[in-house]
Amino acid sequence: FTELDRLVCFSPVKNNIADAAGKGSQGLPPECAGSAERDAMLLNAQMLRMAGATVADEGPAGSFAGVPLQFPPWIVLLPSFATSPADVKRRVEGAEVSVSGRSAVVLEGDITLQGKVSVDGALVIKAAPGAKVLVKDLTVENEGWEVVGGVGDGTDTYVAMRGYTIEKRATKEFIFSEPGTHTVGNST
């Protein structure tokens, strides 16, 4: 038989926020929008670790609309960056990557990391189709993003479903919308 960790193969979004809070209070998986999003971040963090990166195990934690959630660093690896552990490894091989627990990292497109890349805050790099980005020796330190609990006034469906929102206090962004090869580092 083949056995995989639940977050790799099964993280359903089947419960509303009230039912998820009830399950969470019983120590059961909440199986809601917030827990599925958390599981995606856990998987992305694990793929970076498997590729040799140092990624903190824990990020923000709390009870969000009654659902207990322990987030990892907020790591989003879009399919245009990588869709498998082998893809991630190819993108970061040889780099010394570290991500703190309070960090958010979003990587989209043809991006390769080299040298020392350290994130303690929020970093977003987006490469449009045809753009190639080489990230070399980059240190990011800023206020980053914060997970803020609450369901709002009910008009924002995403916030109501998740039980939290993301407050983006500071973000180091590199957006490349034109084709070509681009280099990012501490000097850019």
Side-chain angles (χ1 to χ4, degrees):
F1 292 100
T2 301
E3 189 173 316
L4 298 172
D5 191 312
R6 179 183 171 113
L7 78 95
V8 174
C9 60
F10 185 73
S11 187
V13 178
K14 67 177 194 169
N15 293 315
N16 63 44
I17 199 80
D19 292 345
K23 288 182 77 173
S25 71
Q26 297 172 26
L28 299 170
E31 299 178 329
C32 62
S35 64
E37 191 166 44
R38 183 239 7 241
D39 290 348
M41 303 306 154
L42 283 168
L43 179 59
N44 289 337
Q46 184 59 27
M47 286 198 297
L48 279 175
R49 285 187 202 100
M50 290 169 61
T54 301
V55 180
D57 290 330
E58 296 180 353
S63 178
F64 302 96
V67 179
L69 293 173
Q70 170 67 62
F71 289 98
W74 203 262
I75 298 175
V76 179
L77 306 177
L78 279 88
S80 57
F81 173 77
T83 58
S84 70
D87 288 345
V88 174
K89 185 174 183 176
R90 183 174 46 82
R91 300 278 190 187
V92 304
E93 196 164 32
E96 183 183 333
V97 178
S98 65
V99 180
S100 74
R102 64 179 205 86
S103 292
V105 176
V106 178
L107 300 174
E108 178 180 353
D110 189 352
I111 301 165
T112 302
L113 307 181
Q114 290 184 350
K116 185 175 182 178
V117 179
S118 175
V119 182
D120 184 30
L123 170 66
V124 174
I125 304 174
K126 295 182 179 184
K132 293 179 184 266
V133 178
L134 172 62
V135 180
K136 189 170 185 173
D137 297 320
L138 178 66
T139 301
V140 174
E141 294 176 348
N142 59 39
E143 287 185 71
W145 299 355
E146 183 180 357
V147 181
V148 179
V151 294
D153 61 6
T155 59
D156 186 332
T157 307
Y158 294 113
V159 174
M161 284 175 37
R162 294 156 79 201
Y164 58 86
T165 189
I166 305 300
E167 184 178 302
K168 297 179 179 180
R169 295 183 173 185
T171 305
K172 181 70 172 178
E173 285 187 298
F174 298 96
I175 310 296
F176 299 96
S177 56
E178 298 296 321
T181 302
H182 310 275
T183 301
V184 170
N186 287 327
S187 61
T188 55

